[in-house]
Amino acid sequence: MRAEAEALVESIKQSMGLLRRHLDVDTATRRLAELNAKVEDPDLWNDADAAQKIMRERTELEDRLGSIARFERDLEDAATLVELGEMEEDADTEQEGIAQLKALKVEAERRQVEALLSGEVDGNDTYIEVHSGAGGTESCDWARMLFRMYARWGERHKFKVEIIEETSGDEAGIKSATLVVKGHNAHGWAKTESGVHRLVRISPFDSNARRHTSFASVWVYPVIDDKVEIDVKESDCRIDTYRSSGAGGQHVNTTDSAVRITHIPSGIVVACQGERSQHKNRATAWNMLRARLYEAEMMRREAENSKTEASKTEIGWGHQIRSYVLQPYQLVKDLRTGHTSGAPDDVLDGGLDSFMEASLAQRVYGGGPGEVEDVD
């Protein structure tokens, strides 16, 4: 086998070895057998919540074990194709095998980054909040575009995406909105998206067709369960109810069902209007507040442990992480990693994986930010 193919195979095998060790294939296989036995129990669904957790864990283990097995088969097939091409002196077959190996190497590196999502809540579902910046209608429309981008990203991964809260802009777009994205490692993948996102384009709201720059902020924090103890005193909070203002059908705005909770000591504000029931919205808002307080504590600890890392992840209105330029040229650039894409339409349709991979890899392996490219 030619040297290029051998190097690719060796690199892929190293990545797969790390993945197998991280998953602990033997332990995972035994656990899957235990879960399969539980699924066969006719009394399983007597406790629906417990049953759903079991089914979810079972599906995740099946997917991860099956994925490793399929990947190893694909690697063997691609290597065999290269060898066959060499034996028969068929350059096209050999190149096809090498192309497959290159694609597998990219996939192996992506999976390796995902396998290193070992934070306490990386595997959890995640909340994604989007807030428009200064700039009126233009920024509200940009916030709506970002909101759709994250919803489409979740859908591409076959995650379950639900709208928790949405406040419409005065003329178009949204002032703010919150999604919950449910799926394995949803928070681990999305956590580096927090920050300020900038859009440069010819404004559809400007009759003179001038170029405008708009800003919106994104905040990502994990959904936490009852295993994480967060003490929130109701006396420290102000609870307001109001009528829902986002889209949601003819009945949404008829009652004061939406709930906003302000945690006075921290200034954190959460809101929920996804349900018609005020009781359900209140319960969801309390869960969101607990999650925000948990995330704030994690960030405080991170800042204490490493000021260098804190400077990378600190969230502030002046901390821009990514630019999306639609005119005078087309480019999306992450200003932390330098990663770029010349296909902003695809990125805005949820094609965020390469940006997330780059920022996660930077956290894991280090590396400085890319050069900032600015557009006047």
Side-chain angles (χ1 to χ4, degrees), residues 128 130 143-163 179-181 344-353 356:
I128 301 178
V130 179
R144 179 193 58 78
M145 293 168 66
L146 280 177
F147 191 61
R148 179 187 178 278
M149 178 181 75
Y150 289 112
R152 289 287 298 123
W153 168 76
E155 291 165 359
R156 283 189 178 198
H157 284 266
K158 294 182 170 48
F159 293 152
K160 185 177 181 180
V161 178
E162 298 175 2
I163 297 176
L179 285 173
V180 60
V181 182
D345 287 345
D346 180 65
V347 175
L348 292 170
D349 194 45
L352 289 166
D353 284 1
M356 291 178 174

Side-chain angles (χ1 to χ4, degrees), residues 25-26 30 36 68 73-74 93 95 105 121 132 142 174 192 196 201 232 241 247 251 264 273 321 329 354 370:
V25 171
D26 292 339
R30 288 194 297 269
N36 285 335
I68 287 177
R73 287 197 301 270
D74 290 344
T93 298
Q95 285 302 317
K105 183 175 185 294
V121 292
S132 63
W142 172 223
I174 56 173
T192 59
V196 175
R201 66 171 177 175
V232 185
T241 58
H251 301 296
I264 297 170
Q273 62 180 42
I321 67 167
Y329 51 87
S354 63

Side-chain angles (χ1 to χ4, degrees), residues 120-122 124-129 164 178-181 187 191 194 219-233 237 261 263 266 268-271 282-301:
E120 185 178 1
V121 292
D122 280 352
N124 290 23
D125 304 334
T126 194
Y127 295 110
I128 301 178
E129 286 185 15
I164 298 297
T178 304
L179 285 173
V180 60
V181 182
H187 179 67
K191 65 184 180 182
S194 292
W219 184 261
V220 180
Y221 53 101
V223 176
I224 57 174
D225 54 31
D226 294 335
K227 295 177 183 177
V228 180
E229 295 184 5
I230 302 292
D231 183 23
V232 185
K233 296 180 181 178
C237 300
I261 302 177
H263 186 249
S266 65
I268 291 174
V269 180
V270 297
R282 183 184 293 256
T284 300
W286 277 114
N287 288 336
M288 293 170 66
L289 178 60
R290 291 174 63 247
R292 283 287 301 271
L293 290 170
Y294 172 86
E295 179 72 359
E297 175 62 17
M298 291 301 99
M299 290 182 67
R300 185 189 66 78
R301 292 181 187 178

